[in-house]
Amino acid sequence: MNTSDSAESPASTQQRYEPLFDEVRAEIEKYFEPERIDLIHRAFLFGAEAHKEQKRKSGEPYITHPLAVAAIMAEMRFDMETVIAAILHDVIEDTSVSKQEITELFGEEVAELVDGVTKLTQISFETKAEAEAENMRKMLMAMVRDIRVMMIKLADRLHNMRTLGFMRADKRRRIARETLDIYVPIANRLGINAVRLELEDLGFAALYPERHRVLVEAIKKARGNRREIVDKIESSIGERLVQEGLSGLVSGREKHIYSIYQKMRRKGLPFAEVFDVYAFRISVDSVDMCYRVLGSMHNLYKPVPGKFKDYIAIPKANGYQSLHTVLFGPFGVPVEVQIRTEQMDKVAEAGVAAHWLYKTGEESSFGTHARVREWMRNVLEMQQNAGDSMEFLENVKIDLFPREVYVFTPKGEIMVLKRGSTPVDFAYAVHTDVGNRCVAAKIDRKLAPLRTPLMNGQTVEVVTAGNASPNPAWLNFAVTGKARSNIRNYLKNLKTDEAVQLGRRLLENELAIHSRSISQLSTGVVDVLLRDFKMESMDALLEDIGLGNRMAMLVARRLVPKGVATSKPARKGLKRALSRYVPSWLWGEKVDTSQPLMIKGTEGMVVSFAKCCRPIPGDPIVGFVTSGRGIVIHTENCKNLAEYRKLPEKWIESQWEDDVKGDFTVEVRVDVLNQRGVLATVAAAIAEMGANIDNVNMDDRDGRYSTMSMVIDVHSRHHLASLMRKLRSIEPVIKIVRSRG
Ligand code: MN
């Protein structure tokens, strides 16, 4: 029993779809041997199965679209991998098929091509400003490492334009505009004229249906009227060639609608004047013949002065070669003649694609980059012979091998940055203030470390905080000049400003013990002091104090005349000694020695965290004034503190602010069972807890156990505690401790 509508089994899907493959088969049979045709057919079956639930807007099975794209590639005689990739070009984007699967079934080359097309497809144009078309084109070119990806994308666009009629009117217009703004110039740059011209006419028809209709009508009418003249000129040319013993194939040539329209607009000419040109092409078999035919044409009809162009000696930037001339024809009508060899004609049609023309036997030895380079070399040579290589170099080489990376702002504007740029570079490119205040970044809406190198087509968003400041560590990865000089500048200024501020508070604090303040000091006293210390200004002195080069206590003693009553604090034990040096300087206006120094973590370079004990928010801490480095924060139980105990005047009691933000590095030691993938397991757990790993050292104690020393970034003691709890719970972890000193 067999019913016709049980179309669910693969076998019947195959039967139903098989006729759809006919067009591709007819094309590939012209140049591939049976095994290759078989492989392409397998790709068709796989694609048809993957897309079987989907339909095109026209109601046809979805697979008709990729097949049409593959047919276009085959018409251009592309290699087998490209034809297969064309058949599969939408499966990653639209079905559950993965790149991995394609690799397994059809090889890495095909998988890379499909992946490349998918990435181009994922770029959304909808919100992007029109004025960005130039950058958009560059970005698309920058994204394709293999030019065949762009070829498939152009063929994809071509077929979508051919079937645009099924779309909603507004969507139709948007796609048409995008085609004219983005894809037409790319096709032009690559010299693929056949594709370019069709995209232009389809785009024009969809964008301006009314103007298109009027022009088509006008052309139809004009064509009838001029048939006679066309035939007359064509036979005159043919006869003249025969008379002179020259060989060439004459064909009438109709101008494309879009180029007529553009010429009318550009030159403000009426239709009749633009269209009233009779155009012919003469194909010959050698360059020498081109010039001889040209001579005979200039004999047949008088040439229009100033209209002759020798694109053979001076090719166009995309490699186009031909002779162009305009003649005064019979009854005074202008006659445009193009003369070129068949080879030149092929290049004019296919551009860079001409280098893929499949040739049996030699294809595998000739990689895709080699082909592009060969094309570029050919064009370059032509240009150099013409003494004008600059335009080509600028336009083509930069397009194909760019040194820039193109990314989007959240509003859809394109930013052009140096290769290797990070979110920090991006932030400074937006605005210096954005750079200075950036704390985090989202790439394609996901949080990402600030050091992540950006890739073409990503959307980057910078998260800023009002009180944030640049981090010296950014200099390790920022690549743009703007970012680097801004970070350096900011840090330099910041250090001075903060050191002065800190110095002022320390000195005020000290003077308060003598019931004095800086504002009460007489200029005479200050001048003497500055001269003695060889300091240029009070600020310079305060900076020196702030940086820990000079003790506030000693300076204060010099400033206060002997005999002035002092309110001596009782010195009982370390705690008391500390409280003497507690400034409320940074935040409170009043000098209140009972307030500890509050640490926010964003103080800049005047406050730093000791590498020996790596304090994190939540740890009891203490500050220590260090010569040249401002205040260094240690944990209260740091072993190194013992030797500082003799210097109580350098101590500053410190505390964490309640809402400290940011990452703090901490070191942990993890003992693990030595098994495969253990580092990956531990790293994954750490990442899952939202912490960054800065550094890992593995030490194999013996065969069974290893010790990992890891430097990781955490937010707080609490964060660290839950992270350690998490690590303890994974199987290979035996022991985990925070290392100190
Ligand atoms: Mn497609």
Side-chain angles (χ1 to χ4, degrees):
M1 279 242 305
N2 198 6
T3 52
S4 58
D5 30 310
S6 65
E8 290 313 308
S9 77
S12 57
T13 306
Q14 185 177 338
Q15 266 173 17
R16 203 151 46 95
Y17 283 169
E18 194 56 39
L20 302 177
F21 189 65
D22 289 351
E23 195 193 337
V24 172
R25 185 189 295 279
E27 208 55 58
I28 55 178
E29 270 174 351
K30 292 179 190 162
Y31 69 113
F32 283 137
E33 56 271 37
E35 312 97 79
R36 281 169 189 262
I37 293 171
D38 260 14
L39 204 57
I40 295 172
H41 184 256
R42 277 229 301 277
F44 152 66
L45 294 177
F46 180 78
E49 184 65 25
H51 285 297
K52 74 174 177 199
E53 306 293 340
Q54 296 166 284
K55 289 225 180 320
R56 295 218 92 204
K57 281 259 162 30
S58 62
E60 291 171 291
Y62 192 86
I63 190 69
T64 55
H65 162 66
L67 282 175
V69 175
I72 295 171
M73 301 318 289
E75 272 165 38
M76 291 200 266
R77 298 290 179 267
F78 267 90
D79 50 30
M80 182 185 67
E81 286 76 15
T82 313
V83 176
I84 292 179
I87 293 176
L88 303 178
H89 81 266
D90 278 330
V91 296
I92 294 184
E93 176 76 7
D94 294 342
T95 78
S96 59
V97 172
S98 68
K99 183 180 173 189
Q100 181 61 30
E101 238 171 301
I102 299 176
T103 309
E104 279 158 20
L105 289 167
F106 301 101
E108 197 155 335
E109 198 176 333
V110 171
E112 284 299 332
L113 289 171
V114 175
D115 190 50
V117 178
T118 306
K119 289 204 175 96
L120 289 188
T121 306
Q122 281 163 349
I123 292 284
S124 150
F125 294 88
E126 296 204 32
T127 57
K128 320 303 179 202
E130 248 172 57
E132 304 263 76
E134 175 67 32
N135 277 334
M136 192 59 140
R137 292 196 292 270
K138 282 196 191 160
M139 178 170 71
L140 292 183
M141 290 300 283
M143 284 177 74
V144 298
R145 264 177 302 167
D146 187 326
I147 199 73
R148 289 176 296 176
V149 167
M150 187 52 85
M151 297 295 166
I152 296 173
K153 190 66 205 167
L154 285 169
D156 173 52
R157 177 50 60 116
L158 183 57
H159 182 248
N160 284 334
M161 288 301 291
R162 283 176 184 169
T163 53
L164 200 57
F166 298 97
M167 290 283 180
R168 262 195 353 245
D170 58 330
K171 211 163 176 201
R172 211 150 58 202
R173 267 194 305 280
R174 182 182 67 73
I175 295 176
R177 160 114 343 262
E178 188 181 291
T179 300
L180 292 176
D181 284 349
I182 313 277
Y183 290 102
V184 162
I186 289 176
N188 186 37
R189 183 64 42 87
L190 295 174
I192 317 159
N193 269 323
V195 172
R196 188 202 91 208
L197 290 168
E198 195 179 343
L199 285 178
E200 276 183 348
D201 284 351
L202 291 168
F204 176 52
L207 196 58
Y208 303 112
E210 192 49 30
R211 296 176 208 187
H212 185 261
R213 196 187 57 76
V214 170
L215 270 183
V216 169
E217 279 300 307
I219 290 170
K220 214 191 279 170
K221 225 192 270 165
R223 199 188 284 141
N225 300 338
R226 36 183 253 154
R227 189 71 256 167
E228 219 174 302
I229 305 178
V230 170
D231 289 346
K232 184 175 157 40
I233 300 172
E234 195 173 328
S235 56
S236 300
I237 294 176
E239 279 161 29
R240 177 56 65 98
L241 292 180
V242 174
Q243 270 172 30
E244 299 197 3
L246 302 172
S247 57
L249 207 69
V250 187
S251 53
R253 193 170 60 83
E254 197 136 274
K255 276 199 176 305
H256 284 262
I257 294 182
Y258 190 61
S259 68
I260 294 172
Y261 171 71
Q262 276 186 314
K263 204 162 183 180
M264 286 168 66
R265 286 201 55 177
R266 227 183 16 243
K267 304 198 173 168
L269 294 173
F271 169 75
E273 231 168 291
V274 174
F275 191 69
D276 209 11
V277 171
Y278 295 77
F280 296 88
R281 178 170 305 148
I282 306 175
S283 289
V284 300
D285 56 14
S286 69
V287 173
D288 172 61
M289 189 58 79
C290 289
Y291 290 102
R292 285 163 65 187
V293 168
L294 175 77
S296 88
M297 287 304 104
H298 283 184
N299 259 326
L300 176 64
Y301 300 117
K302 230 159 98 82
V304 177
K307 289 290 187 183
F308 169 63
K309 295 216 176 67
D310 187 346
Y311 292 120
I312 291 180
I314 304 175
K316 286 193 183 177
N318 58 22
Y320 174 88
Q321 285 187 296
S322 185
L323 297 178
H324 289 188
T325 189
V326 181
L327 311 165
F328 291 110
F331 323 112
V333 299
V335 177
E336 263 182 31
V337 181
Q338 297 181 347
I339 306 163
R340 57 194 186 221
T341 65
E342 278 149 38
Q343 177 58 32
M344 290 174 194
D345 206 39
K346 217 184 267 172
V347 172
E349 282 265 299
V352 67
H355 287 263
W356 265 272
L357 296 183
Y358 181 85
K359 297 171 200 121
T360 327
E362 63 170 271
E363 81 281 3
S364 56
S365 61
F366 210 43
T368 172
H369 274 296
R371 283 174 210 247
V372 176
R373 245 177 253 125
E374 155 118 341
W375 172 68
M376 283 177 47
R377 211 195 57 225
N378 287 349
V379 180
L380 193 56
E381 262 169 27
M382 291 191 284
Q383 298 271 326
Q384 271 165 350
N385 292 340
D388 175 28
S389 57
M390 284 324 288
E391 193 197 358
F392 170 74
L393 273 180
E394 270 166 32
N395 289 335
V396 184
K397 199 170 176 195
I398 293 172
D399 273 5
L400 289 178
F401 304 106
R403 268 176 243 135
E404 288 112 15
V405 54
Y406 300 84
V407 294
F408 292 113
T409 67
K411 283 187 187 149
E413 283 149 22
I414 297 184
M415 287 288 225
V416 186
L417 299 166
K418 206 166 148 185
R419 266 259 154 115
S421 285
T422 61
V424 168
D425 295 290
F426 175 87
Y428 277 102
V430 172
H431 195 277
T432 305
D433 273 351
V434 175
N436 285 340
R437 287 167 208 291
C438 84
V439 286
K442 286 182 183 171
I443 298 178
D444 289 337
R445 280 172 287 285
K446 277 195 218 106
L447 273 175
L450 287 174
R451 63 176 87 91
T452 316
L454 298 174
M455 313 250 277
N456 281 306
Q458 287 175 331
T459 299
V460 187
E461 190 180 345
V462 175
V463 182
T464 58
N467 60 353
S469 57
N471 183 330
W474 293 351
L475 290 171
N476 294 332
F477 52 76
V479 299
T480 53
K482 183 166 185 202
R484 297 187 67 82
S485 64
N486 270 307
I487 298 165
R488 277 206 208 94
N489 240 330
Y490 186 94
L491 293 174
K492 211 169 77 197
N493 292 336
L494 193 71
K495 188 168 173 176
T496 310
D497 287 356
E498 288 196 345
V500 171
Q501 199 185 6
L502 174 58
R504 183 183 302 280
R505 303 284 181 166
L506 289 173
L507 186 59
E508 288 285 20
N509 198 34
E510 208 52 56
L511 288 172
I513 295 165
H514 307 282
S515 312
R516 292 290 175 109
S517 76
I518 294 174
S519 57
Q520 291 171 334
L521 298 173
S522 73
T523 31
V525 175
V526 172
D527 285 348
V528 170
L529 182 82
L530 291 178
R531 204 187 54 222
D532 286 357
F533 285 166
K534 298 192 174 64
M535 303 302 290
E536 277 176 21
S537 65
M538 193 61 185
D539 273 0
L541 175 64
L542 293 174
E543 184 187 343
D544 226 25
I545 297 171
L547 290 175
N549 293 334
R550 204 175 283 280
M551 271 195 267
M553 186 171 65
L554 299 179
V555 176
R557 238 176 248 163
R558 289 285 308 269
L559 287 167
V560 180
K562 284 187 185 96
V564 171
T566 59
S567 56
K568 248 189 206 159
R571 292 199 176 217
K572 275 191 192 162
L574 179 63
K575 199 75 187 167
R576 284 287 173 81
L578 287 178
S579 68
R580 257 196 78 221
Y581 288 88
V582 169
S584 62
W585 39 270
L586 275 171
W587 296 274
E589 275 313 306
K590 257 189 9 231
V591 176
D592 176 355
T593 54
S594 67
Q595 287 289 307
L597 168 59
M598 300 306 283
I599 301 296
K600 291 195 288 191
T602 53
E603 283 80 5
M605 298 186 73
V606 174
V607 172
S608 57
F609 300 96
K611 287 266 174 3
C612 46
C613 51
R614 296 188 190 276
I616 58 175
D619 289 339
I621 48 172
V622 70
F624 193 79
V625 181
T626 310
S627 183
R629 289 178 56 197
I631 296 172
V632 179
I633 304 294
H634 292 261
T635 60
E636 231 176 54
N637 56 5
C638 176
K639 291 188 188 97
N640 289 344
L641 289 190
E643 61 179 283
Y644 299 145
R645 249 162 240 261
K646 297 158 223 153
L647 307 161
E649 70 280 3
K650 293 208 163 195
W651 286 90
I652 292 181
E653 189 175 348
S654 308
Q655 258 177 33
W656 295 101
E657 284 266 28
D658 282 343
D659 57 339
V660 182
K661 298 250 174 0
D663 287 335
F664 294 82
T665 49
V666 71
E667 209 175 323
V668 292
R669 231 182 51 224
V670 192
D671 291 344
V672 291
L673 275 174
N674 225 347
Q675 51 182 239
R676 237 178 110 223
V678 62
L679 178 58
T681 312
V682 171
I686 291 174
E688 202 182 303
M689 293 297 294
N692 270 333
I693 303 176
D694 277 346
N695 196 2
V696 180
N697 269 311
M698 273 276 238
D699 164 34
D700 299 330
R701 270 187 300 177
D702 55 42
R704 280 199 67 195
Y705 304 101
S706 309
T707 301
M708 293 188 240
S709 294
M710 322 183 89
V711 178
I712 54 184
D713 295 341
V714 295
H715 312 315
S716 64
R717 210 175 149 88
H718 183 73
H719 186 203
L720 178 64
S722 39
L723 185 119
M724 287 170 70
R725 219 169 21 248
K726 167 93 184 172
L727 286 182
R728 265 184 213 110
S729 76
I730 41 183
E731 210 249 321
V733 174
I734 298 161
K735 191 178 154 198
I736 173 165
V737 290
R738 178 175 174 190
S739 20
R740 296 166 193 274

